[in-house]
Amino acid sequence: QVQLVQSGGGLVQTGGSLRLSCAVSGHTFPDGNMGWFRQVPGKDREFVASMRLTDDVAYYADFVKGRFTIARDSAVNTLFLQMNSLKPEDTGIYYCAAALSLTTPYKYWGQGTQVTVSS
């Protein structure tokens, strides 16, 4: 059974930093993608960042470029999202996700974690 268990998040002031973690168990995705999405109030779930697990190439949404960094630790099968220079508009629920290949949709999702940035 594949599980993505998230940790991190919380409340931080504008300009602060948080790190999200996503621990994967039950499967590895050597040929796939892993990514982070978020749902902010009043909007649909949106893409934040992803990493191709074949070569660790990362992609970012324009609104987080230069502020967020996606990374992974293969030894412990965990994906991270380092979030710096946080803004109130980054407030939302963040989800990690995994896809089995580079061309298939994200199939597995974490439980979500709340990030709140106060002004």
Side-chain angles (χ1 to χ4, degrees):
Q1 180 182 359
V2 179
Q3 282 192 311
L4 278 60
V5 178
Q6 297 179 222
S7 59
L11 174 64
V12 67
Q13 291 185 331
T14 297
S17 298
L18 287 172
R19 188 175 82 155
L20 305 182
S21 300
C22 175
V24 182
S25 62
H27 195 71
T28 58
F29 304 90
D31 301 319
N33 271 321
M34 288 197 71
W36 292 95
F37 294 77
R38 72 185 187 186
Q39 181 135 32
V40 301
K43 287 188 171 183
D44 294 332
R45 188 177 297 185
E46 60 186 0
F47 168 79
V48 174
S50 67
M51 176 173 280
R52 282 194 325 219
L53 302 185
T54 51
D55 55 12
D56 286 358
V57 171
Y59 300 92
Y60 297 93
D62 286 343
F63 53 78
V64 303
K65 280 181 182 175
R67 301 189 298 125
F68 291 10
T69 303
I70 188 171
R72 66 167 175 154
D73 186 339
S74 300
V76 292
N77 220 11
T78 300
L79 185 75
F80 302 98
L81 184 68
Q82 178 66 43
M83 305 184 292
N84 298 328
S85 302
L86 282 161
K87 305 174 182 179
E89 52 263 43
D90 294 318
T91 294
I93 302 173
Y94 285 69
Y95 299 88
C96 64
L100 292 172
S101 77
L102 300 183
T103 57
T104 55
Y106 287 95
K107 180 177 180 179
Y108 303 100
W109 292 83
Q111 80 276 20
T113 188
Q114 178 71 42
V115 170
T116 303
V117 185
S118 64
S119 57

